[in-house]
Amino acid sequence: MSEAYRPGLENVIACETEISFLDVDHEEIVLRGYDLIDLAKKVSYIDLIGLLIDKRLPNDAERQAIERALRSYRQVPLNIWAILKQLPPTTHPMDMLRTGVSALSGFDPNLDDQSPAANRERAMRLLAQVPQIVAASHHIAHGADPIPPKEELSYVANGLYMITGREPSADEVKYFDQVLMVYCEHELPNSTFAARVITSTLSDMYGALTGAVASLKGPLHGGANEAVMEMLLEAETVEGFERLIREKLANKEKIMGFGHRVYMRKMDPRAQMMKEALQEMAGSNPEAKKWLAMCVAGETIMREEKGLYPNLDYYAAPVMYMLGIPVPLFTPVFFAARVVGLSAHVMEQLANNRIFRPRVLYTGPRGLKA
């Protein structure tokens, strides 16, 4: 049994899936047969909702139907806001999000219906309402009311508007759409595995996603994008950032935004897409140009000193910051984007379910007598 033990389940195949696969050899994130990065340059987040939930890219009529469904489900029960307002203002947005997602289950009249049709509807409801809970967590913590979505704005534009309180430009919508796409699905990270484990007990989708929020809150999973931006803000300049990174390396501290359990010695292809987005922003914005220069300097040091490459969070952080997203909301936005992938995994687990029940390698004493 000890020969089969893999700490952290590293390289252990835990399930079969048709949803996604990290093909490290070909530097490709496969999403239902497509290259995610190639798709993200040609389609929108709405298209990926169709691909992940309905297993095919939608045509124009189907895309419009998805947008209509998201609009029809976006009325968050008012009691959800009342619940969140009872939490202390110091509550972390991820804790507010976890509470909100869990509470939504009480307002689902068909909670015990685990049919594919019911779970598809549930996924759409969560996709419509989670972005509002994310945005509201920030406003409520600061003593303000949630900003409701605008009827005339698209799903993606509303996601940003409800956070910042101003209508985003076309370019801002484009970059936010890219952020949502690169975070939408990523095979079997800890939060997705947690969701599938919970689902395997035949618990409901809200419970599975609540567990996923709790997983993502952990600093070894989510939170790296926030830590990256905090380092950039602390350093202020290229020289300051180089000095900060070298100091952390000398103190043997972990540099957030670098390395990945799967990619190991290669750059996360999603990081490259976010780097290109930041480069576009830098063409007309001096602040974005500064963040880009700092990030490139840090990337160079880490590659030369440690042989490590950026993961998604490293370049996504300044992109989100330039979009006006508060740093404490970086990880909640990550989760909002991932709702579609998580929902697809929940539905797939139920379609061919077997409860997860691994064993242990016991290292404690035996033979003790009372």
Side-chain angles (χ1 to χ4, degrees), residues 62-74:
E62 291 167 333
R63 187 182 302 109
Q64 292 171 13
I66 291 171
E67 282 271 15
R68 285 196 300 272
L70 293 172
R71 280 193 172 90
S72 70
Y73 291 126
R74 69 185 181 188

Side-chain angles (χ1 to χ4, degrees), residues 204-217:
D204 58 77
M205 187 177 285
Y206 302 99
L209 267 65
T210 300
V213 177
S215 166
L216 192 60
K217 185 192 176 188

Side-chain angles (χ1 to χ4, degrees), residues 362-368:
Y362 179 68
T363 60
R366 298 185 65 168
L368 299 180

